[in-house]
Amino acid sequence: MSESGKRILVIGATGQIGSEITLELRRRYGKDNVVASWHKKGLSEQLESGPVEHLDATDCQSIKKILSEYSIDTVYHLAAILSAVGEKNPQLAWNVNMSSLYNVLEASREKGGMKVFWPSSIAVFGRGAPRFNTPQDAVLIPSTIYGVTKASGELLCNYYATRFNLDVRSVRYPGIISSETMPGGGTTDYAVEIFYEAIKNKRYSCFVRKDTVLPMMYMPDCTKAAVQIMEADPSDIHCRMAYNVTAMSFSAEELAAEIKKHIKGFEVDYEPDFRQMIADSWPMSLDDDLAREHWGWKPDFNLTTIVVDMIAKLKRKLRA
Ligand code: AKB
């Protein structure tokens, strides 16, 4: 047992966020105290450094079994079908995203004494929400089924927190840029793909217009937000839907220009596809004052420092 006594289950440990959060949680709380669960995508060698379990989170009994076997008291539920893939199969996205969240909340309620982290997204916003500096309490009319599952999920979390006193906490993530694991089918994937293509081929065909501006965050800030809200004193959590969190906003063209400073001869062309409509329905920037006020949220990375770090990490990774 770790000093803090935490026993953690990460659901979706092989995904973009899960693969890095699992390692961070193991560093903090001890590798034997963090169970990495995976479903379709196999485990990396790094994740095998601690306990692992195969888990289909749409099956509530399997979740209950793991909670009990490992005496779990904290769940990070990160498995989800993202916005672009969700639009290709909305029925599957609803089923996977909603049933897995419901199962996690229900299994946690039944076990008692549990804490749950579940990420929401900027995808909860759509028609009727201001696109600049989108406020915490802007209207939620999502344009995608993914956004519908995130908005519904926020309501469900809020219900479990108020009705059953379940300690469930959430943030609305912007696009996440990361070097360890590729994102799996989101609209903001271009902001990761562009780095790989710049290093490998010095060319990238971007699937959104060059003037597309979205809020973004680097993975170390993404894991920091999750750990920080989960470590916050319960008296500091006043919002049981999800807190807006962001680090910066930039256009696809600004990102390309920053990368070009480090990779000479890098060329980008822009061929918007169906994901453009999704991006155009999302906030360009977020107001995250509430998270800053309530539990001290503050990002560390900006566009310049992300680009330097991403290029260094990916060059090492791609050489290996
Ligand atoms: C997506 O693009 O679907 C995700 C998100 C913003 O939630 N990265």
Side-chain angles (χ1 to χ4, degrees):
M1 282 280 259
S2 66
E3 269 171 41
S4 58
K6 278 197 204 324
R7 301 279 294 170
I8 300 172
L9 169 64
V10 180
I11 301 179
T14 52
Q16 184 195 17
I17 299 179
S19 58
E20 300 211 31
I21 270 194
T22 304
L23 299 180
E24 175 58 24
L25 294 172
R26 283 186 176 160
R27 265 192 296 275
R28 282 174 172 263
Y29 306 116
K31 66 178 172 45
D32 295 334
N33 295 308
V34 181
V35 180
S37 81
W38 60 285
H39 183 217
K40 295 227 159 98
K41 196 164 164 231
L43 290 159
S44 66
E45 227 174 86
Q46 268 184 320
L47 287 175
E48 306 256 24
S49 65
V52 296
E53 284 288 337
H54 183 257
L55 172 66
D56 175 359
T58 63
D59 173 15
C60 196
Q61 290 311 320
S62 308
I63 299 177
K64 287 182 186 171
K65 190 162 168 274
I66 295 180
L67 296 190
S68 145
E69 259 174 31
Y70 288 87
S71 305
I72 298 293
D73 54 37
T74 305
V75 176
Y76 285 73
H77 173 31
L78 307 168
I81 290 184
L82 298 183
S83 56
V85 168
E87 285 316 289
K88 296 198 169 142
N89 194 341
Q91 294 75 13
L92 182 75
W94 173 265
N95 191 32
V96 169
N97 293 2
M98 292 315 293
S99 67
S100 64
L101 175 62
Y102 176 74
N103 290 342
V104 167
L105 296 174
E106 206 28 38
S108 302
R109 178 197 66 78
E110 207 180 284
K111 184 164 186 299
M114 295 283 299
K115 223 165 159 180
V116 176
F117 176 79
W118 169 80
S120 185
S121 159
I122 52 168
V124 294
F125 297 114
R127 189 164 49 80
R131 292 194 67 209
F132 294 99
N133 222 16
T134 309
Q136 174 69 37
D137 59 359
V139 63
L140 307 185
I141 308 179
S143 62
T144 59
I145 189 68
Y146 170 69
V148 170
T149 65
K150 289 297 183 187
S152 313
E154 285 193 19
L155 291 169
L156 196 59
C157 289
N158 184 59
Y159 178 75
Y160 269 75
T162 50
R163 173 77 169 79
F164 302 119
N165 214 14
L166 179 69
D167 192 353
V168 50
R169 305 176 182 201
S170 182
V171 295
R172 291 176 183 143
Y173 280 132
I176 303 295
I177 299 176
S178 64
S179 56
E180 183 63 31
T181 306
M182 289 292 278
T187 302
T188 57
D189 290 14
Y190 68 88
V192 180
E193 288 173 7
I194 192 170
F195 284 95
Y196 282 83
E197 295 308 312
I199 293 169
K200 287 197 291 195
N201 304 319
K202 290 198 176 197
R203 276 210 75 80
Y204 181 57
S205 184
C206 184
F207 59 75
V208 294
R209 280 191 322 268
K210 61 183 174 187
D211 63 351
T212 304
V213 176
L214 287 172
M216 296 279 173
M217 183 182 286
Y218 198 30
M219 182 56 83
D221 282 329
C222 169
T223 54
K224 176 177 161 175
V227 171
Q228 203 175 346
I229 192 173
M230 289 297 273
E231 287 287 330
D233 194 274
S235 62
D236 291 332
I237 307 295
H238 305 287
C239 165
R240 293 291 179 168
M241 296 277 284
Y243 281 93
N244 283 2
V245 288
T246 188
M248 75 213 88
S249 289
F250 49 75
S251 66
E253 190 178 33
E254 282 164 337
L255 174 59
E258 194 62 35
I259 295 173
K260 278 181 196 175
K261 289 183 189 166
H262 302 269
I263 300 182
K264 300 288 167 236
F266 175 44
E267 296 288 341
V268 183
D269 60 82
Y270 298 88
E271 287 185 36
D273 64 16
F274 73 101
R275 290 168 281 194
Q276 184 67 55
M277 266 169 63
I278 302 177
D280 288 345
S281 75
W282 286 355
M284 292 178 171
S285 56
L286 280 189
D287 175 352
D288 62 2
D289 279 357
L290 215 64
R292 289 172 190 256
E293 252 172 60
H294 289 181
W295 44 274
W297 162 243
K298 190 170 169 291
D300 294 323
F301 285 84
N302 59 31
L303 179 57
T304 312
T305 50
I306 288 181
V307 169
V308 169
D309 201 60
M310 273 294 279
I311 290 177
K313 284 196 171 126
L314 285 186
K315 275 190 173 163
R316 269 201 302 276
K317 180 173 157 177
L318 294 174
R319 248 201 314 271

